[in-house]
Amino acid sequence: QVQLVESGGGLVQPGGSLRLSCAASGIIFYRHNMAWYRQAPGKQRELVAVITSSGSTNYADSVKGRFTISRDNAKDTVYVQMNSLKPDDTAVYYCNARLTSYVYWGQGTQVTVSS
């Protein structure tokens, strides 16, 4: 059974930082492209950052220079370091694993940026 378990969300003030983690099980982690998505209330889910199985990364324009995605294949875990957080970053953040047509999602973790 595939499981993606996110952690690290919470309430943070504008300008603050958070690091989200996503621990995977039930998949051959190093072969999967991993990504973080987010969904704010009333909005569609959007791609935040992706890291391929070879380690290449890509980011949404809205988070470039502020967020960093990384992976630890020894721990079957993907991270996103989020700095200089803004209220517009408030959303549920979801972990995603993809290998060809196989796609898996985590349950999401809430990030709230507010003073």
Side-chain angles (χ1 to χ4, degrees):
Q1 182 181 0
V2 177
Q3 281 193 311
L4 300 176
V5 180
E6 299 101 334
S7 61
L11 174 65
V12 63
Q13 291 187 343
S17 298
L18 282 175
R19 188 177 83 153
L20 305 183
S21 301
C22 170
S25 59
I27 61 173
I28 304 174
F29 182 80
Y30 75 91
R31 295 184 62 193
H32 284 70
N33 295 336
M34 301 298 298
W36 288 94
Y37 286 74
R38 67 186 181 186
Q39 187 167 20
K43 294 187 177 181
Q44 289 189 332
R45 192 172 297 190
E46 63 174 357
L47 177 65
V48 174
V50 60
I51 184 165
T52 68
S53 57
S54 61
S56 298
T57 59
N58 202 8
Y59 298 90
D61 286 344
S62 59
V63 307
K64 278 182 182 176
R66 300 189 297 123
F67 290 14
T68 303
I69 189 171
S70 61
R71 63 190 298 161
D72 185 338
N73 290 337
K75 296 182 178 179
D76 291 353
T77 301
V78 62
Y79 307 94
V80 61
Q81 176 67 43
M82 307 186 296
N83 298 328
S84 302
L85 284 162
K86 306 174 181 179
D88 283 350
D89 295 318
T90 296
V92 177
Y93 284 70
Y94 296 91
C95 179
N96 169 278
R98 182 184 301 267
L99 176 61
T100 62
S101 61
Y102 296 91
V103 181
Y104 307 101
W105 292 93
Q107 82 288 350
T109 185
Q110 176 70 45
V111 171
T112 302
V113 184
S114 175
S115 55

